[in-house]
Amino acid sequence: MAAGPEGKLQLVQRHVRAFPDFPKKGILFRDICPILKSPAALTAVTDLFEEHVRSHQLQVDLIVGLDARGFLFGPLLAQRLGVGFVLVRKKGKLPGATVSVAYDLEYGSAEVEIQEDAVAPGQKVLIIDDLLATGGTLLAACELMKRQQADIQGCMVVIELRDLKGADRLKPHNIFSLLQY
């Protein structure tokens, strides 16, 4: 495996596939499946996320992963940092008492939730997902964390689609993305 951060980043980038006109005409879909298939690329993603957290001296109690691809990267980072992992799921997927937030999509609306006791007031959380596009889902996750009175340390994604300006919607939260398109 490539030793330094730049080599790791190049390895990750080589494992992102582009699919034109998916899921509809005019969209260039960035596919992370090859990252998951490659142990070296997946390790590189986890290494780069961990290096960011440690180099910025972020104090984190919990990693919060978004349904569903945040579930792929979040537990790996949580394990490396020695902290817990919390699920943000689509409405109706979690047992027990939950807290939910509705948000708008370009074609309708959606709702995400966490278990009511998943995050305690004052806990320091880092939110993770695979992709930042328009920012709707990450913004909803931030709102859930605010409702739980969590201290949001930032958001991390593998890919940021800059033209869609999702990071602007998430201000004042810090956004860290490995790859930008």
Side-chain angles (χ1 to χ4, degrees), residues 1-178:
M1 169 182 278
E6 193 58 38
K8 290 175 185 178
L9 198 54
Q10 289 172 2
L11 176 64
V12 172
Q13 191 163 26
R14 285 194 308 269
H15 283 82
V16 174
R17 288 188 298 193
F19 284 95
D21 298 323
F22 182 83
K24 62 183 184 178
K25 190 159 181 63
I27 294 177
L28 181 61
F29 186 85
R30 304 289 179 168
D31 179 24
I32 62 155
C33 291
I35 292 172
L36 302 172
K37 187 176 173 183
S38 165
L42 185 56
T43 298
V45 167
T46 309
D47 288 350
L48 290 163
F49 281 158
E50 179 185 13
E51 289 165 14
H52 175 79
V53 171
R54 295 196 189 283
S55 70
H56 287 79
Q57 299 176 354
L58 298 176
Q59 299 301 309
V60 178
D61 298 314
L62 295 170
I63 300 296
V64 176
L66 276 61
D67 196 344
R69 292 181 194 100
F71 298 175
L72 303 172
F73 300 104
L76 298 173
L77 180 60
Q79 185 178 42
R80 291 268 190 98
L81 298 175
V83 300
F85 177 76
V86 172
L87 306 169
V88 171
R89 302 257 0 231
K90 293 176 180 97
K91 180 81 174 161
K93 300 290 184 179
L94 290 171
T98 61
V99 177
S100 66
V101 169
Y103 63 102
D104 292 325
L105 303 166
E106 65 253 21
Y107 52 85
S109 64
E111 202 167 347
V112 291
E113 66 185 359
I114 61 167
Q115 290 176 316
E116 191 176 70
D117 61 354
V119 179
Q123 281 193 298
K124 295 176 183 342
V125 300
L126 188 59
I127 303 170
I128 192 167
D129 203 3
D130 68 321
L131 178 78
L132 171 58
T134 63
T137 309
L138 271 173
L139 189 61
C142 288
E143 181 58 33
L144 276 174
M145 293 304 104
K146 286 180 194 171
R147 288 187 184 180
Q148 296 302 101
Q149 300 174 13
D151 183 358
I152 301 168
Q153 300 298 297
C155 301
M156 302 177 84
V157 295
V158 178
I159 296 171
E160 178 182 354
L161 302 178
R162 288 219 166 141
D163 288 348
L164 298 177
K165 302 189 184 307
D168 292 345
R169 290 183 69 192
L170 291 162
K171 288 180 180 172
H173 302 295
N174 292 322
I175 308 299
F176 174 70
S177 55
L178 296 180

